[in-house]
Amino acid sequence: MGGEPEHYYGKHGTPQKYDPTFKGPIYNRGCTDIICCVALLLAIVGYVAVGIIAWTHGDPRKVIYPTDSRGEFCGQKGTKNADKPYLFYFNIVKCASPLVLLEFQCPTPQICVEKCPDRYLTFLNAHASRDFGYYKQFCVPGFQNTKGVAEVLRDGDCPAVLIPSKPLAQRCFPAIHARKGVLMVGNETTYEDGHGHRKNITDLVEGAKKANGILEARQLAMRIFEDYTVSWYWIVIGLVIAMVMSLLFIVLLRFLAGIMVWVMIVMVILVLGYGIFHCYMEYSRLRGEAGSDVSLLDLGFQTDFRVYLHLRQTWMAFMIILSVLEVIIILLLIFLRKRILIAIALIKEASRAVGYVMCSMLYPLVTFLLLCLCIAYWACTAVFLSTSNEAVYKIFNDTACPVAGKTCNPETFPSSNASHLCPGARCQFAFYGGESGYHRALLGLQIFNAFMFFWLANFVLALGQVTLAGAFASYYWALRKPDDMPAFPLFSAFGRALRYHTGSLAFGSLILAIVQIIRVILEYLDHRLKAAQNRFAKFLLTCLKCCFWCLEKFIKFLNRNAYIMIAIYGTNFCTSARNAFFLLMRNIIRVAVLDKVTDFLFLLGKLLVIGSVGILAFFFFTHRIRIVQDTAPPLHYYWVPILTVIVGSYLIAHGFFSVYGMCVDTLFLCFLEDLERNDGSAERPYFMSSNLKKLLNKTNKKPTES
C-alpha cells in the first residue's frame, strides 16, 4: 500500500488477510439479519391490512364528484341524482365567507340539478307566474308550494334568485363577463337579492372568487392534457431516441472507452456553448421590442409560460446559468485532467464487466416495474384513506345562533330543539370526517402508509444494488476472465440476495426510510410554520432539515457500499457497513481520485444525452426544423412535451448509467480488497486485469504524496 505508516491502518480497522480459498462471492453463506426480515414481513402484512381497511371504507368519488347538502353525489349512476350532474348553490355570495376556508363547504344550501339556470328570475316574481315550474327544479327535492314566500326563503327551500350560470367542474357558477369594462351577468349589471334590494354584480364576483378558485388551474390542466393527447406519439419517439443514444453510448464505451469519454466531454462543452450562443441571440433579437424589458418580478406568475420567452431578462438568466455551468465544468476538467486519464482505465474495465454480463442492462426495468407497483399501491391506499370519512352535518345560520357549527342529524333536525332555538338554522352537509376510533387513527394510518412506501421503495433499490454488485464481483474475482465466471451471474446474485439477505436489505432500507419520513415531517412543520413570526423556530427547523438531508446522503453512500460487501462476503448489514467504511477510509485518496472522477464523467454522459434530446425536442416542437415543420403538432404550451422528453430522457439515461455506476463502485471496492489480500507475486497473484494493474502503478503513492 505504498508504505503507509502502521497507525494509518489501525485507525480504520484491519486490512484483509490473504486467503487461498477465496475466489469471489461466497456461495456457502447463511441468512443474515433474520429479525429485520421477520419485521419486514409483518410490516407488509400490516400494510396489506391497512389497504384492505382503506378500500373497504374509502370512496374516491368524494374528491372527484360534487356532493349536495345531504352528502349525496351528483350525476352518479345508481343514485337518485344520476340524471342531475351539476351542483347548484342557492346563494353563491356566501361562498366568500371565511367559513369556506375552515369547513371546505359553502354555508348555503346546495342541490343537484339537471342543468344550470339560463335566465335571471326571482322567487318573488316566479311564485305566482307560469315560470314557477321552471323555478321549482332549483328548489330542494320534494318541495311543495304550500308555504308563503317568506316561509320558503326562511326555511331555505328555494333560492331567492336565479342567475344565468355556466357549468364548470360540474358546478354552476354565475356567467360573469365584462362589456366595455362593466361587469355583467347576462345583460344585467345588478341583481335582486330576493327581498327587493338591488345589488352590484361585484358582490357575486367576490363569492365566485372563492367557489371558482379552480378555474385557471383546471384550464391549465385541460390544456396540458390536450397537448399530451396530440403530442404523445412524438414524446414516445423522443424517449426512444434517448434510449437508443444511451444504449449506443454504453456499447461504444465497451470498445472505445477513452475516445468516447473525450468525445462526451467535448460534446457537453459544445452543447452548453451552443445554449449560451442561442440565449445571446434571442436576447439581442428582443432588444427594442415593446414590452421585452419588463421585469420577471413585475410580470409575476403566468400560466402561459411562452410569455416569459418574450422577455430579455429571461434569456439573460438562461445565459448566466449556462455560462456558470460551462465555466465550472471547464475548471474541473483543467484540475482533473490527469485523473481523468486514470478514471478511463476503470471505465474500460467496467465496460468489459458489463459486456460479459449484458443482461445487467435490462435489470433497471425490473427495478422500475417494482417501484411502479410500490407507487401505485401507496397512491391508491392514500386516496382511499383520505376518502374513508363519513358525511358530517353541521348547523348553519345567517345570524348569531348558540348552536351554530354543531353537528346535527338532517333526518331529526326539523323536530329538534336546535331548530326551534334558531328558526332560520339549517342542518346541511359540511365535510367528510368522523368521531370513531378508526377516523381518529386516519392520520397515523397515512403516516404509516408513507413510511411503508419509503421502506419498500428503498428495499427495491437495495435489491437491485446487491444483485448488480454480486454479478460484477463474480467477474472481478474470476482469475481467468470470463472462463471462471458462473454461467448466469446476475440470476445467481439475485437468488442469493433474496434467499439469504432479505433481512439485511430490510435493515438498510429501514434506516433510510426512518430518516426520509423524518424529513417529510420536517417539511410539513415548515409548511405549517411559514406564517409564524418565531425566527428561532424557523432557524432551528432549517438546521434540522439541513442535518437530516446530509444524514440521508451519508446513509445512502454507506448503504451502497455495505450492499457490495454483503454481495461478496454474505455478512450482516452492520458488519458489511463497517468493513466497507473502513476499507474506503484506508484508501481515502484513491476514493477521491478515482471513484468521484468517474461519477463526474457519468454525469457528463447523462447531460450529453439529455441536452441532445432536449435541443432536438425544442427545435421540433417549436417548428424550427424546416424538413418536418408541418409535422409537429399545434400546442398550447410547447414546453409540456419538451419538459416531458427531458425528464424522461434523464430517467432513461440514469437507468443505463446507474448500472455502469454500480459496476464501477463494485470493481473499485474489489480492487481495494485485492490490494490488501494479494501482493502480485506468483503465490499471491492479483485478480485484477492488466489495465487495472497499470492503474495501480499510477495511483500507488503515499497519502502524503497525493
Side-chain angles (χ1 to χ4, degrees):
M1 292 297 296
E4 288 99 329
E6 292 291 335
H7 66 83
Y8 186 73
Y9 287 129
K11 291 181 179 179
H12 305 110
T14 305
Q16 293 288 344
K17 302 297 183 181
Y18 171 70
D19 183 1
T21 62
F22 181 74
K23 303 296 181 182
I26 297 173
Y27 292 92
N28 186 17
R29 57 179 72 192
C31 297
T32 56
D33 297 307
I34 299 176
I35 295 178
C36 292
C37 179
V38 174
L40 177 63
L41 294 177
L42 292 177
I44 292 176
V45 171
Y47 197 23
V48 172
V50 169
I52 294 174
I53 294 173
W55 298 335
T56 303
H57 292 81
D59 189 351
R61 295 180 301 171
K62 295 177 182 177
V63 296
I64 301 175
Y65 301 106
T67 53
D68 62 13
S69 295
R70 291 185 174 272
E72 297 173 347
F73 297 110
C74 297
Q76 290 303 293
K77 295 180 179 179
T79 66
K80 63 181 181 181
N81 294 324
D83 58 342
K84 299 178 179 179
Y86 304 116
L87 184 68
F88 172 71
Y89 300 91
F90 274 26
N91 187 359
I92 200 170
V93 175
K94 293 184 179 180
C95 292
S97 168
L99 190 63
V100 176
L101 302 176
L102 298 176
E103 305 288 0
F104 301 101
Q105 187 79 5
C106 289
T108 184
Q110 301 153 52
I111 61 171
C112 299
V113 295
E114 293 184 15
K115 58 182 180 179
C116 297
D118 57 5
R119 66 191 73 171
Y120 178 84
L121 189 64
T122 65
F123 181 78
L124 189 63
N125 294 333
H127 183 257
S129 68
R130 65 181 64 181
D131 291 327
F132 188 74
Y134 172 81
Y135 203 100
K136 186 179 178 181
Q137 65 180 314
F138 299 101
C139 297
V140 296
F143 171 72
Q144 301 295 329
N145 191 18
T146 58
K147 301 179 182 179
V149 174
E151 291 177 312
V152 170
L153 298 179
R154 182 199 64 189
D155 296 339
D157 294 332
C158 293
V161 60
L162 297 182
I163 297 172
S165 305
K166 291 183 178 180
L168 176 63
Q170 292 186 253
R171 292 163 175 83
C172 296
F173 293 117
I176 299 172
H177 62 279
R179 181 181 297 175
K180 295 182 179 180
V182 179
L183 289 175
M184 307 185 72
V185 175
N187 295 318
E188 302 285 341
T189 59
T190 61
Y191 75 100
E192 190 173 324
D193 63 0
H195 301 284
H197 302 112
R198 303 294 297 183
K199 292 189 176 182
N200 196 284
I201 297 302
T202 52
D203 296 335
L204 283 175
V205 175
E206 292 302 318
K209 281 182 179 178
K210 293 287 184 180
N212 199 24
I214 61 172
L215 175 59
E216 286 195 8
R218 184 175 182 272
Q219 288 178 340
L220 177 63
M222 290 301 297
R223 289 177 179 175
I224 291 176
F225 178 76
E226 291 173 1
D227 286 344
Y228 276 124
T229 58
V230 299
S231 63
W232 69 268
Y233 179 80
W234 299 105
I235 292 174
V236 171
I237 292 178
L239 297 180
V240 170
I241 293 174
M243 184 178 66
V244 171
M245 285 187 62
S246 301
L247 186 59
L248 180 62
F249 196 89
I250 295 296
V251 172
L252 290 177
L253 277 178
R254 171 73 174 86
F255 305 100
L256 304 169
I259 297 175
M260 287 301 300
V261 167
W262 287 112
V263 168
M264 172 183 64
I265 293 171
V266 173
M267 288 296 295
V268 169
I269 294 175
L270 291 178
V271 168
L272 291 176
Y274 175 78
I276 296 170
F277 171 75
H278 181 77
C279 292
Y280 175 76
M281 295 301 295
E282 292 291 334
Y283 177 80
S284 301
R285 183 181 62 82
L286 292 174
R287 183 180 293 131
E289 285 194 12
S292 63
D293 292 325
V294 177
S295 171
L296 289 171
L297 295 177
D298 295 336
L299 182 63
F301 176 75
Q302 301 292 326
T303 55
D304 188 354
F305 290 171
R306 291 175 295 183
V307 174
Y308 297 110
L309 300 181
H310 294 281
L311 302 181
R312 298 182 70 205
Q313 196 175 89
T314 301
W315 294 105
M316 173 63 75
F318 286 159
M319 185 166 58
I320 292 174
I321 293 172
L322 292 177
S323 299
V324 171
L325 190 60
E326 179 94 327
V327 170
I328 291 175
I329 291 177
I330 291 176
L331 289 177
L332 287 175
L333 291 174
I334 291 174
F335 287 107
L336 298 176
R337 61 189 186 278
K338 294 182 179 179
R339 308 306 183 191
I340 290 175
L341 295 173
I342 302 172
I344 288 175
L346 193 59
I347 293 177
K348 286 182 178 179
E349 190 66 18
S351 301
R352 292 188 180 91
V354 172
Y356 289 126
V357 194
M358 280 301 294
C359 56
S360 62
M361 301 302 299
L362 299 177
Y363 190 84
L365 294 177
V366 178
T367 301
F368 175 76
L369 293 176
L370 292 176
L371 285 177
C372 287
L373 184 62
C374 294
I375 294 172
Y377 188 88
W378 164 78
C380 292
T381 305
V383 170
F384 277 90
L385 282 175
S386 63
T387 58
S388 60
N389 290 310
E390 299 174 348
V392 175
Y393 300 87
K394 289 197 173 185
I395 299 174
F396 291 88
N397 194 43
D398 297 335
T399 59
C401 177
V403 294
K406 294 185 177 180
T407 57
C408 59
N409 187 332
E411 303 295 334
T412 61
F413 180 75
S415 59
S416 64
N417 294 330
S419 63
H420 299 297
L421 184 63
C422 302
R426 302 176 305 278
C427 179
Q428 69 179 57
F429 170 75
F431 57 86
Y432 287 103
E435 300 296 333
S436 66
Y438 168 74
H439 294 106
R440 286 194 294 268
L442 279 178
L443 179 60
L445 293 177
Q446 286 284 22
I447 295 176
F448 177 74
N449 182 34
F451 172 75
M452 285 303 300
F453 166 71
F454 286 128
W455 194 359
L456 293 178
N458 290 324
F459 180 85
V460 169
L461 295 174
L463 178 61
Q465 291 174 348
V466 170
T467 300
L468 293 173
F472 295 132
S474 299
Y475 162 82
Y476 184 93
W477 295 108
L479 191 59
R480 294 173 298 172
K481 302 174 177 59
D483 297 335
D484 292 343
M485 291 179 60
F488 302 101
L490 188 70
F491 294 105
S492 299
F494 183 79
R496 289 196 301 269
L498 280 182
R499 180 179 179 183
Y500 298 110
H501 306 302
T502 300
S504 297
L505 303 184
F507 191 11
S509 54
L510 173 64
I511 297 173
L512 188 56
I514 292 174
V515 175
Q516 289 173 335
I517 199 68
I518 292 175
R519 289 194 63 200
V520 170
I521 295 174
L522 290 176
E523 290 292 341
Y524 172 76
L525 293 176
D526 184 42
H527 178 73
R528 295 295 299 268
L529 294 175
K530 278 187 181 296
Q533 302 298 324
N534 192 331
R535 294 185 178 180
F536 175 75
K538 291 183 178 180
F539 171 77
L540 181 61
L541 199 58
T542 303
C543 292
L544 288 174
K545 288 168 60 178
C546 179
C547 291
F548 276 95
W549 180 84
C550 296
L551 180 60
E552 181 182 357
K553 295 298 180 184
F554 174 75
I555 291 176
K556 285 183 177 180
F557 170 79
L558 190 62
N559 283 5
R560 185 181 179 90
N561 290 283
Y563 296 147
I564 296 174
M565 302 301 279
I566 290 173
I568 298 174
Y569 296 104
T571 52
N572 61 50
F573 177 80
C574 292
T575 301
S576 300
R578 184 186 67 245
N579 292 340
F581 181 73
F582 285 161
L583 177 62
L584 294 174
M585 290 303 297
R586 291 196 297 268
N587 299 271
I588 190 63
I589 302 300
R590 291 192 176 94
V591 173
V593 170
L594 298 178
D595 197 41
K596 297 309 161 188
V597 172
T598 54
D599 290 344
F600 173 67
L601 294 178
F602 288 145
L603 174 62
L604 294 184
K606 295 177 188 177
L607 291 178
L608 175 60
V609 174
I610 297 167
S612 301
V613 178
I615 289 176
L616 180 63
F618 174 78
F619 279 100
F620 176 77
F621 288 112
T622 55
H623 304 272
R624 301 193 183 191
I625 303 178
R626 294 184 179 180
I627 302 177
V628 291
Q629 193 171 22
D630 298 331
T631 308
L635 302 168
H636 295 291
Y637 310 116
Y638 62 78
W639 52 265
V640 171
I642 294 175
L643 285 181
T644 305
V645 170
I646 290 175
V647 173
S649 299
Y650 169 78
L651 295 176
I652 291 172
H654 179 73
F656 281 101
F657 281 94
S658 64
V659 175
Y660 244 90
M662 196 66 201
C663 181
V664 168
D665 289 345
T666 303
L667 296 182
F668 187 63
L669 253 66
C670 293
F671 170 73
L672 299 179
E673 286 272 318
D674 198 7
L675 292 179
E676 293 186 351
R677 286 181 174 275
N678 307 298
D679 57 9
S681 62
E683 295 79 13
R684 298 167 59 183
Y686 287 130
F687 282 81
M688 67 186 73
S689 64
S690 57
N691 284 331
L692 286 182
K693 290 178 181 178
K694 295 178 181 178
L695 176 64
L696 173 63
N697 295 330
K698 292 181 179 180
T699 60
N700 195 14
K701 299 179 181 180
K702 295 180 181 180
T704 56
E705 294 176 1
S706 298

